[in-house]
Amino acid sequence: MKVAIVHDWLSTYAGSERVLEQLLAVYPSADLFAVVDALPEDERAFLHGRRPQTTFIQKLPGARGRFRAWLPLMPLAMEQLRLENYDIVISSNHAFAKGVLTGPDQLHVAYMHSPMRWAWDLQHQYLTESGLTSGLKGRLAGPAVRLLLHYLRGWDQRSANGVDCFVANSHFIARRIRKAYRREAEVIHPPVDVERFALQHDKDDYYLSASRLVPYKRVPLIVEAFAGMPEHRLVVIGDGPDAARLPRALPPNVRWLGHQSAEQLVDWMQRARAFVFAAEEDFGIAPVEAQACGTPVIAYGRGGVLETVREDSRAPTGLFFEEQSAAAIRDAVRRFECRRAAFVPEACRAHAESFSVARFRAHIEGFIEARWRDFDGRRPSA
C-alpha cells in the first residue's frame, strides 16, 4: 500500500498536529502533504525530518507569515495536489484537507478535528469576535466575508462526497459531521501523551487555568469569577491575543504567569487543586492532561469535555457548570469544595489513560486496515 497523509497547514505544534504525529508513526513510509508549511524550525521535531509537499500558496507573497490571507484560494490549492498514485489517502482536517481529489480505486479516510466551525454553526460567533458585525470594519468587510463563508460552506459540503469514511475526534464532532454532511462517523478520540504527566497526590491550594488566550477559551471570564471569590487562589498560564482583555490590575488572589515551558506547565498542573476550563471544545486535550496528573476538572458542560470528564459515577473526575458566566463558575467551585474528598487522584489518572497514545494508534490503525480490506475486496480483480 502507498499511503498519503494530507494536513490542512503546518504553522505550530498544537492539537491537530499531535494527531498528525501519531498518524505518521503508524504509517512511517507515508508521504506528507499540506497547503502550506510555515512551521518554525524549533517545532519541527514531531515530523522526524519530513518536509511536506505543499501547494502553490507556499510561493505566494507573505504565505509563511500570513497564509490565512490566502484562505479563499485554499479549496483550489487542495484540489491541485497530485495523489493519484496512492492507495490510501488519510486527511487530517479542520478546514480544507478532505477536499483533495481521489479516484474510485483509492480509499479516502478523513480524520475530522471538526468541520470548518467558523463557516458553519459558529459563523456568527466568529464574525462578532472578529469585529465584522458592527462599526466601519463590519460595514466594509462584513458582507465580503459573509459571501466567502457562504461559498466555503457549499464547497465543504460538496467535497465531503469524495470521502469514503469519516472519523471524528469526539461524539460531539460526529454530530457536527452528521449535521453538515449527512454522514456518519467512527469516533476515535485523539491521542494524549499521558506518560508526560505523572500522577501526584499532594495538592496545593490554588486552581489552575492553562490555555492559549483566545476569545473562545473564556479565560477573562474565569478571572472574573475568581475576583468574586477572594478566598480561593487562581493561577493562569498562557498567552495570546486575548491577554489584552485580562484586567490591568488583577485581583490579589489571581496570578498570571504568561507562557510557561512544558516542564513548568506539568508542575503547575500536578499541584493544582483543580483545573478550570470554560471553553466549548471539540475534544479538549488539557482537561485530560490535568486528569493524568491526578487533578480533577471543573468545566463548562458542553462539547468534547462531556466525553473526557466523568461527573456522575462512583469514581468522578470532575464536575460541570451549565453556562459560561462568572456566577456559574463560582457555583461550580463551591460545589467542588463541598465534594473534594470524592475526587481521588488515582481515579483521575486511570480515566486519563483511556486516551493514551497507544490506544489511539491501535484504534486508528485497526479501523483503516479494516476499511481497506473491505474496500479492496470490492474492487474487481485484474
Side-chain angles (χ1 to χ4, degrees):
M1 294 185 303
K2 288 192 66 178
V3 178
I5 298 177
V6 186
H7 195 63
D8 284 305
W9 51 70
L10 289 162
S11 61
T12 187
Y13 180 62
S16 62
E17 286 71 34
R18 299 186 194 195
V19 172
L20 174 62
E21 179 180 19
Q22 299 309 321
L23 290 173
L24 292 170
V26 172
Y27 298 101
S29 299
D31 291 328
L32 177 60
F33 298 81
V35 69
V36 67
D37 179 6
L39 199 63
E41 289 300 322
D42 61 355
E43 295 187 36
R44 305 191 72 88
F46 78 99
L47 295 179
H48 300 288
R50 289 182 179 85
R51 292 283 172 173
Q53 298 181 48
T54 56
T55 69
F56 66 83
I57 290 179
Q58 185 78 28
K59 299 179 181 180
L60 295 179
R64 288 188 61 85
R66 298 178 58 85
F67 61 88
R68 288 178 178 83
W70 299 107
L71 190 122
L73 295 179
M74 289 186 184
L76 173 64
M78 276 295 179
E79 293 172 353
Q80 305 314 303
L81 288 174
R82 298 290 300 271
L83 302 176
E84 64 267 26
N85 293 324
Y86 295 91
D87 300 299
I88 299 176
V89 175
I90 305 168
S91 56
S92 168
N93 184 93
H94 59 74
F96 303 103
K98 72 169 178 46
V100 293
L101 302 180
T102 56
D105 292 331
Q106 295 175 284
L107 175 67
H108 181 181
V109 178
Y111 187 94
M112 299 294 293
H113 309 285
S114 177
M116 48 178 76
R117 60 182 79 84
W118 33 268
W120 288 98
D121 54 313
L122 297 185
Q123 171 190 283
H124 301 298
Q125 176 182 324
Y126 275 78
L127 289 172
T128 300
E129 291 173 352
S130 302
L132 291 166
T133 57
S134 61
L136 182 62
K137 184 179 179 181
R139 290 196 297 274
L140 294 179
V145 173
R146 291 174 189 275
L147 182 62
L148 171 63
L149 295 178
H150 173 75
Y151 155 72
L152 289 177
R153 278 192 298 275
W155 176 87
D156 191 40
Q157 194 169 51
R158 290 193 303 274
S159 67
N161 294 327
V163 176
D164 294 294
C165 43
F166 282 98
V167 179
N169 71 355
S170 66
H171 292 281
F172 177 61
I173 293 305
R175 293 197 297 274
R176 266 202 183 133
I177 291 169
R178 188 180 305 118
K179 187 76 171 182
Y181 311 140
R182 298 304 184 203
R183 298 281 297 277
E184 297 300 317
E186 176 85 0
V187 175
I188 301 179
H189 293 120
V192 182
D193 187 8
V194 295
E195 298 307 316
R196 190 164 66 90
F197 297 83
L199 172 65
Q200 181 159 318
H201 296 84
D202 298 329
K203 301 299 180 182
D204 211 327
D205 65 346
Y206 63 86
Y207 291 81
L208 177 67
S209 169
S211 70
R212 180 164 165 75
L213 300 185
V214 291
Y216 85 94
K217 297 287 189 179
R218 305 283 198 240
V219 175
L221 186 66
I222 299 174
V223 172
E224 179 187 347
F226 276 81
M229 296 185 293
E231 70 277 17
H232 296 304
R233 293 171 56 207
L234 173 68
V235 173
V236 177
I237 292 177
D239 207 348
D242 223 27
R245 295 184 57 206
L246 294 175
R248 290 189 177 181
L250 290 172
N253 63 321
V254 176
R255 183 182 178 190
W256 177 38
L257 301 179
H259 174 75
Q260 297 285 289
S261 69
E263 293 75 18
Q264 291 169 323
L265 174 61
V266 172
D267 179 61
W268 283 105
M269 221 173 236
Q270 288 173 324
R271 295 185 291 114
R273 178 174 290 184
F275 184 80
V276 185
F277 191 74
E280 181 180 339
E281 282 278 20
D282 304 329
F283 174 74
I285 288 177
V288 179
E289 294 174 337
Q291 292 171 84
C293 297
T295 301
V297 177
I298 300 172
Y300 176 49
R302 292 284 299 274
V305 75
L306 292 173
E307 301 168 42
T308 61
V309 177
R310 294 188 310 205
E311 182 178 48
D312 297 322
S313 72
R314 293 182 179 178
T317 66
L319 54 78
F320 302 118
F321 50 93
E322 297 305 317
E323 62 180 35
Q324 290 173 313
S325 70
I329 294 173
R330 286 193 290 268
D331 175 69
V333 170
R334 294 184 183 111
R335 286 187 285 119
F336 173 82
E337 287 290 332
C338 292
R339 297 181 56 197
R340 272 177 56 195
F343 302 101
V344 179
E346 288 86 354
C348 294
R349 173 71 189 189
H351 184 54
E353 288 176 348
S354 65
F355 302 95
S356 69
V357 168
R359 175 215 53 85
F360 173 82
R361 287 187 186 181
H363 197 168
I364 193 71
E365 184 176 19
F367 175 80
I368 293 174
E369 288 187 358
R371 298 290 80 75
W372 173 249
R373 287 193 300 269
D374 181 58
F375 184 83
D376 192 49
R378 293 200 306 265
R379 297 195 298 178
S381 57

